[in-house]
Amino acid sequence: MANTSDTVLVIGACGQLGSELTMELRRMYGDANVVAADIAAPKQADLRDSGPFEKVDVLDTNVLAGLASKYKFRHIYHLAAVLSATGEKNPKFAWKLNMDGLFNVLDLALEQKVERIYWPSSIAVFGPSTPRQHTPQQTVMDPNTVYGISKQAGERWCEYYFQKYGLDVRSLRYPGLIGYKALPGGGTTDYAVDIYHKALEGEVFECFLSEDTYLPMMYMPDALKATLDLMHAPAEQIKVRDSYNLSAMSFSPKEIAASIRKHIPGFEIAYKPDSRQQIADSWPQSIDDSAAQQDWGWNPAYDLDAMTEDMLVNLKKIKQEQAV
């Protein structure tokens, strides 16, 4: 049995963020103290073999209650969600999973006296009327995707549970996340992961956004650092109880292609905008995250060129290992 005083649950542990966050938490707390949970078993060997895994549908309250009784979680990271582009294909299911899943976790935390909850929000909470440059912490929100609507509603509920019940819920509005360890899961910013794979394979990359579409982005090591810094900050430093703006860099497909060409001169990109262009056009181009900087010392480490270099080095290693 794990040391119950430090046991952590990660729901959605097999996703792009969850797979890396779970491993980082296991390094911090010990493998046996971090329970990975998802609706399907992990394909990643390190995640599967390093610590406990539980099959969980976040809509099943009985299973969640059984897990909480078994492990006595101190912290829960609730990452399970249907993302932006995927959500538009089945909006009512996306709403159900994103909202009912959050309620189930918040209520479980109250019932089981879980000390702290992490729930991610997104730049998708913003919409066409939001200022697009240096989007403020407090501003107009008129999201026009079911993902964004559910994240905006979720932010209000997280703050409500804090104000009404004293539940210590913490949240970040992630920009697009880019990493090399797991494939993305159906988001509008996912082109910025796929482009590196295509570049290394020597293929022409067909981009579903136009060349000058600027979006806020973040390299996975920075996203992990921000999440863990926020969760381990003293409660009195957390002044924002809906969700913190978070920023690292903003770039366009044309600029990421130019960054890749510094390493792969022959790389080619073609532009074929699809329905995701409309989503991207409703989101901010850059984010003001001064509240996160002031309250708990947020500061990113990676810019575009540093990320490109690290992505290509690590993806090349992975592809070489897979070829053996």
Side-chain angles (χ1 to χ4, degrees):
M1 186 57 152
N3 173 0
T4 54
S5 66
D6 274 334
T7 310
V8 175
L9 173 65
V10 183
I11 303 171
C14 297
Q16 184 192 16
L17 173 65
S19 56
E20 298 202 39
L21 182 61
T22 302
M23 296 305 296
E24 199 62 38
L25 286 164
R26 284 178 174 167
R27 280 188 279 276
M28 292 178 76
Y29 288 96
D31 290 347
N33 289 336
V34 179
V35 179
D38 213 309
I39 200 160
K43 293 174 182 170
Q44 304 97 317
D46 57 351
L47 186 61
R48 185 181 61 241
D49 301 336
S50 61
F53 173 81
E54 299 278 356
K55 191 172 179 181
V56 170
D57 180 347
V58 76
L59 298 178
D60 190 331
T61 52
N62 291 329
V63 170
L64 286 172
L67 272 189
S69 297
K70 179 179 175 182
Y71 291 101
K72 305 284 191 294
F73 299 113
R74 184 181 173 199
H75 295 169
I76 297 176
Y77 292 76
H78 171 42
L79 311 179
V82 178
L83 300 185
S84 57
T86 307
E88 293 308 289
K89 295 170 187 171
N90 193 346
K92 287 187 177 173
F93 173 72
W95 174 260
K96 181 176 178 59
L97 181 77
N98 292 359
M99 294 311 303
D100 288 357
L102 175 59
F103 281 128
N104 290 346
V105 171
L106 293 175
D107 290 340
L108 179 79
L110 289 180
E111 289 160 16
Q112 301 287 338
K113 297 183 170 51
V114 177
E115 182 184 302
R116 200 167 290 172
I117 300 294
Y118 179 76
W119 174 80
S121 189
S122 163
I123 58 168
V125 296
F126 303 121
S129 303
T130 304
R132 298 194 70 200
Q133 303 294 340
H134 307 295
T135 301
Q137 175 66 46
Q138 301 289 342
T139 188
V140 175
M141 290 179 170
D142 55 348
N144 57 8
T145 64
V146 68
Y147 177 65
I149 294 165
S150 68
K151 288 297 184 186
Q152 185 192 21
E155 286 189 11
R156 307 308 326 133
W157 280 108
C158 286
E159 185 166 50
Y160 183 87
Y161 271 69
F162 172 73
Q163 300 287 0
K164 187 90 172 175
Y165 308 117
L167 184 62
D168 189 352
V169 191
R170 305 182 180 196
S171 179
L172 297 170
R173 291 173 185 149
Y174 289 122
L177 298 184
I178 301 166
Y180 58 84
K181 291 186 180 175
L183 292 171
T188 301
T189 56
D190 287 352
Y191 86 87
V193 179
D194 193 29
I195 192 170
Y196 289 109
H197 288 266
K198 294 293 192 295
L200 281 172
E201 287 154 13
E203 297 179 24
V204 176
F205 177 65
E206 192 172 285
C207 187
F208 55 71
L209 299 179
S210 64
E211 65 176 7
D212 291 319
T213 304
Y214 280 85
L215 287 169
M217 299 282 192
M218 179 172 287
Y219 196 32
M220 191 62 77
D222 276 337
L224 297 174
K225 181 180 184 300
T227 305
L228 295 167
D229 285 356
L230 174 74
M231 277 295 274
H232 293 103
E236 61 270 17
Q237 290 183 7
I238 309 303
K239 314 289 189 194
V240 174
R241 286 294 181 169
D242 48 5
S243 192
Y244 276 99
N245 275 4
L246 192 68
S247 181
M249 57 185 121
S250 291
F251 56 77
S252 65
K254 183 165 72 175
E255 288 176 346
I256 193 174
S259 184
I260 289 170
R261 283 193 196 103
K262 292 175 184 176
H263 303 269
I264 305 172
F267 173 65
E268 291 181 45
I269 185 169
Y271 299 95
K272 285 198 176 176
D274 64 15
S275 60
R276 288 166 283 194
Q277 183 68 50
Q278 191 176 354
I279 297 174
D281 288 343
S282 73
W283 286 356
Q285 294 183 339
S286 58
I287 299 287
D288 175 3
D289 63 358
S290 52
Q293 293 174 36
Q294 289 160 11
D295 291 356
W296 43 275
W298 164 242
N299 186 31
Y302 286 86
D303 61 13
L304 174 56
D305 283 341
M307 176 181 73
T308 293
E309 184 173 354
D310 200 62
M311 276 288 287
L312 291 174
V313 166
N314 283 288
L315 279 177
K316 200 176 288 184
K317 272 188 209 164
I318 290 168
K319 289 178 189 299
Q320 284 167 351
E321 287 164 9
Q322 288 170 345
V324 173

